[in-house]
Amino acid sequence: MRPSRRPALKASEIPPQNLNLREGERHSIVCPDCDSWHPLYRKMIKTHHLDREVRGGRAPRCPGSAQLIDMDISVEQWGERMLAADSTATGRRSARQHYKPLAQPPTPIYRLADRGPQGTPTLHRLLPLLEHARHAVDQHRTACSLCKPGGRCDAGRALEVRAAETEASCTIAREQLKQQEHRRFDRAAAPVKRQAEWAAVLLAVQDADTRRAVVPAFPARPEAPAQAEVPSVPTEPEDIKAYDRRQAELGKQYARLADQPA
């Protein structure tokens, strides 16, 4: 690739953000003609075309191709210029950011009934809405000339969708009501069920208590505090002299270890 006849561009005069000289990455530059990134090849902008979708000789060649770049600065100097440019841009930014509040999403159809008066059953509020939606569909089919022969207009489709969504909400409300009734029945039957379970195991529990009462308790040690039906734990060694000898030997061993140099 031969260099173009244009004069060489000095790297010191190019904005640092338009040049990439990082180690481990391919050196590249923003072409001054087409304003797009292209790699550097032998200190020249690699040949490229204006229309990236068209390749080959038919595509017009960018005038910035084979432009010589005079590397009159080092990588360290370029890095210092990048840091200075970044600090300048950071200083121009406002420290306080203002966010536009997002619009609240609309409430789903199946939850619209929950906005009614508190204490009113959901299903009772949905049934009149379902009846009204079905009545609106029937009235539209009777009056609309397009929907009479079996077709469907935009307004009829919207009314049918609304009726279907309301019917789905009624189905969900019925299922929720059944679940609430089941939970209420389980809470009411819990004490009776618990009493029946205790009655089933009462004989076995009484038999276990009787057999436990006849098992002899272990004799307690005289030096420990006495507790009812609990074996006491020794608090003093059985052989006092052997215990004292052992403590004296351990003390001598610790003294020898302390005298040894580290």
Side-chain angles (χ1 to χ4, degrees):
M1 181 175 64
R2 297 181 180 180
S4 64
R5 298 180 181 180
R6 291 182 175 184
L9 293 177
K10 293 185 178 181
S12 58
E13 298 178 357
I14 300 174
Q17 62 271 15
N18 292 351
L19 191 64
N20 181 19
L21 301 179
R22 295 185 179 90
E23 296 182 1
E25 298 182 8
R26 190 174 185 180
H27 293 179
S28 56
I29 190 174
V30 176
C31 178
D33 291 87
C34 62
D35 198 21
S36 58
W37 284 94
H38 296 284
L40 289 175
Y41 179 74
R42 294 181 181 179
K43 298 183 180 180
M44 293 184 294
I45 301 178
K46 195 172 182 179
T47 302
H48 56 280
H49 302 80
L50 294 176
D51 191 356
R52 294 189 177 184
E53 297 181 357
V54 180
R55 299 294 181 182
R58 294 175 298 176
R61 184 175 175 179
C62 179
S65 300
Q67 171 69 55
L68 278 175
I69 306 298
D70 183 10
M71 294 295 179
D72 58 343
I73 57 174
S74 61
V75 178
E76 291 76 11
Q77 293 175 345
W78 171 81
E80 293 177 357
R81 294 184 63 193
M82 280 290 293
L83 292 176
D86 184 67
S87 62
T88 304
T90 305
R92 290 197 301 266
R93 299 192 188 101
S94 175
R96 184 176 180 181
Q97 297 182 1
H98 302 274
Y99 297 95
K100 183 179 179 180
L102 299 177
Q104 293 293 335
T107 306
I109 298 296
Y110 67 91
R111 296 183 58 185
L112 285 176
D114 295 338
R115 296 181 175 271
Q118 189 174 4
T120 307
T122 305
L123 185 59
H124 292 176
R125 297 197 302 270
L126 283 174
L127 290 177
L129 297 177
L130 178 60
E131 186 66 24
H132 178 72
R134 290 176 176 175
H135 184 64
V137 172
D138 295 339
Q139 283 185 342
H140 178 77
R141 288 177 179 175
T142 304
C144 181
S145 59
L146 184 61
C147 296
K148 282 182 179 179
R152 183 184 298 174
C153 64
D154 294 339
R157 184 181 296 106
L159 291 174
E160 291 180 1
V161 169
R162 185 179 303 174
E165 291 177 348
T166 308
E167 187 174 0
S169 301
C170 291
T171 303
I172 296 174
R174 291 191 185 95
E175 294 177 356
Q176 293 178 352
L177 186 60
K178 290 181 180 179
Q179 292 178 1
Q180 292 177 2
E181 292 178 354
H182 286 312
R183 285 195 295 266
R184 191 181 302 110
F185 176 77
D186 293 340
R187 287 195 298 267
V192 179
K193 182 179 179 182
R194 191 178 299 109
Q195 291 179 2
E197 292 175 351
W198 273 110
V201 299
L202 181 59
L203 296 178
V205 173
Q206 291 178 351
D207 183 54
D209 292 340
T210 304
R211 286 183 292 166
R212 190 185 300 111
V214 300
V215 175
F218 293 96
R221 296 179 179 270
E223 67 271 9
Q227 296 182 5
E229 299 182 2
V230 178
S232 58
V233 180
T235 57
E236 295 183 2
E238 296 182 357
D239 192 345
I240 301 298
K241 295 181 179 180
Y243 176 77
D244 293 340
R245 288 196 302 270
R246 179 59 181 166
Q247 293 297 322
E249 292 176 0
L250 290 176
K252 293 178 181 179
Q253 293 178 7
Y254 293 151
R256 287 195 297 270
L257 292 175
D259 295 338
Q260 291 180 359

